[in-house]
Amino acid sequence: MTRRTYPFYFIAIALAFYIIFTVVPSLMGIYLSFTDWNSYAKAIHFIGFDNFKTIFSSDENYLHGIKNTVIFTISTIILKTVIGLLLAVLVNKGIKLQSFHRVIIFMPAIIPMLVVGIIFKSIFHPETGLINEALRAIGLSQWTQHWLTDIDWAFKSIIAVDVWKGVGYIMVILLAGLQAISHTYYEAADIDGAGAFKKFRFITVPLLMPALMVTTVLNLLYGLKIFDTVYVLTNGGPGYATDVVYTQVFSQFSLGSYGVGTALITILFIIMTLLGYFAVKLMSREEQH
């Protein structure tokens, strides 16, 4: 009897904190998304799906924010994973001063987003920014852009900044996965005459799948909750071009429309759960193969 109850006592305090500070607020948030909760009235009334109808109505910009959030998430997952994997393979072996290069690549991940925003606002400045100045210096003035104020380039610029900042973190995780792969697999492949591509395709990628699953889930959770990068660089502008779900939630709470704001978070929670489930399911299937 004692051996069965001991594990429960061991986790009871942590479980209680999790229920009180995570589960209960989450359930309350879902309930409040079906109400007219706002800063202009003391009473809260249940209004069913009215907040969700407002979000999905054709005359609102909420769908654009949801679309941007999903596009941002998918784009950064692909770019961070591909670039992070290439960098991990590169710094794992084949170059000098490996530790130095690892530190340099990882360093952007520890820089506060506020500092990153200030730096890249300067870099992206249309007149004095480093990118446009470099393009003019090599005779490519026609390629200069208003990177953060042009509708066609603002969102792409935000994605680029986020990939630059986060790819080092993904590289470290994948590097740990690479170093956990035994060299005997590659030695056996050499004996069989396998080339570099086949070794990467049939040894590295399958055995790295657990690490890839971790990075995919982390990127997914981060991408769907993106706020600081957009807020610091463009605050959702120009217009609504770079609006994401959390900038819209911020706007709604600033206006006192708490019910609509919690409804947006509820929708994002559903999207996050579905995408996370299918991502883990797909990655687990690949790992088993």
Side-chain angles (χ1 to χ4, degrees), residues 186-261:
Y186 297 103
E187 292 171 357
D190 288 331
I191 295 173
D192 292 336
F197 177 77
K198 286 188 176 180
K199 287 190 285 186
F200 180 79
R201 169 66 181 85
F202 295 105
I203 298 177
T204 303
V205 173
L207 295 178
L208 197 60
M209 199 57 67
L212 288 170
M213 184 187 300
V214 171
T215 59
T216 300
V217 172
L218 289 176
N219 280 329
L220 177 67
L221 296 177
Y222 172 80
L224 290 174
K225 296 189 297 181
I226 187 64
F227 170 75
D228 52 357
T229 308
V230 178
Y231 183 77
V232 170
L233 291 174
T234 63
N235 195 22
Y240 298 98
T242 61
D243 238 355
V244 291
V245 171
Y246 269 93
T247 57
Q248 293 178 333
V249 171
F250 180 80
S251 298
Q252 291 301 315
F253 271 76
S254 299
L255 295 172
S257 300
Y258 306 136
V260 176

Side-chain angles (χ1 to χ4, degrees), residues 47 72 247:
I47 58 173
F72 177 90
T247 57

Side-chain angles (χ1 to χ4, degrees), residues 6 12 18 24 27 45 53 57 82 110 127 197 221 224 237 244:
Y6 173 75
Y18 178 76
V24 173
L27 294 176
H45 305 96
K53 291 178 182 177
S57 62
V82 172
I110 63 175
E127 300 300 331
F197 177 77
L221 296 177
L224 290 174
V244 291

Side-chain angles (χ1 to χ4, degrees), residues 53-66:
K53 291 178 182 177
T54 300
I55 292 171
F56 288 103
S57 62
S58 58
D59 58 337
E60 297 289 348
N61 294 298
Y62 300 117
L63 289 180
H64 183 68
I66 295 173

Side-chain angles (χ1 to χ4, degrees), residues 28-172:
M28 290 178 62
I30 293 173
Y31 168 74
L32 290 171
S33 66
F34 294 94
T35 68
D36 63 351
W37 182 32
N38 60 80
S39 61
Y40 308 107
K42 294 182 179 181
I44 299 176
H45 305 96
F46 184 83
I47 58 173
F49 289 92
D50 286 358
N51 290 328
F52 297 92
K53 291 178 182 177
T54 300
I55 292 171
F56 288 103
S57 62
S58 58
D59 58 337
E60 297 289 348
N61 294 298
Y62 300 117
L63 289 180
H64 183 68
I66 295 173
K67 176 184 174 183
N68 277 349
T69 304
V70 174
I71 291 174
F72 177 90
T73 302
I74 295 174
S75 300
T76 53
I77 286 175
I78 295 173
L79 291 171
K80 287 180 184 178
T81 302
V82 172
I83 299 173
L85 180 55
L86 292 175
L87 291 173
V89 172
L90 184 63
V91 301
N92 188 39
K93 57 181 179 179
I95 62 172
K96 297 179 179 180
L97 300 175
Q98 292 178 355
S99 298
F100 173 76
H101 286 94
R102 292 173 187 175
V103 171
I104 293 299
I105 296 171
F106 179 73
M107 191 174 295
I110 63 175
I111 301 176
M113 192 58 230
L114 180 61
V115 177
V116 173
I118 294 172
I119 293 172
F120 274 93
K121 275 192 172 183
S122 175
I123 292 174
F124 285 137
H125 194 279
E127 300 300 331
T128 60
L130 179 62
I131 295 178
N132 283 352
E133 286 289 338
L135 291 172
R136 294 188 189 101
I138 60 176
L140 296 176
S141 299
Q142 66 274 18
W143 287 14
T144 59
Q145 302 290 339
H146 289 69
W147 301 101
L148 295 178
T149 56
D150 187 292
I151 292 177
D152 295 327
W153 285 101
F155 198 59
K156 297 173 185 176
S157 300
I158 289 173
I159 291 174
V161 172
D162 186 78
V163 170
W164 174 84
K165 187 179 188 303
V167 73
Y169 181 75
I170 301 303
M171 181 206 69
V172 169

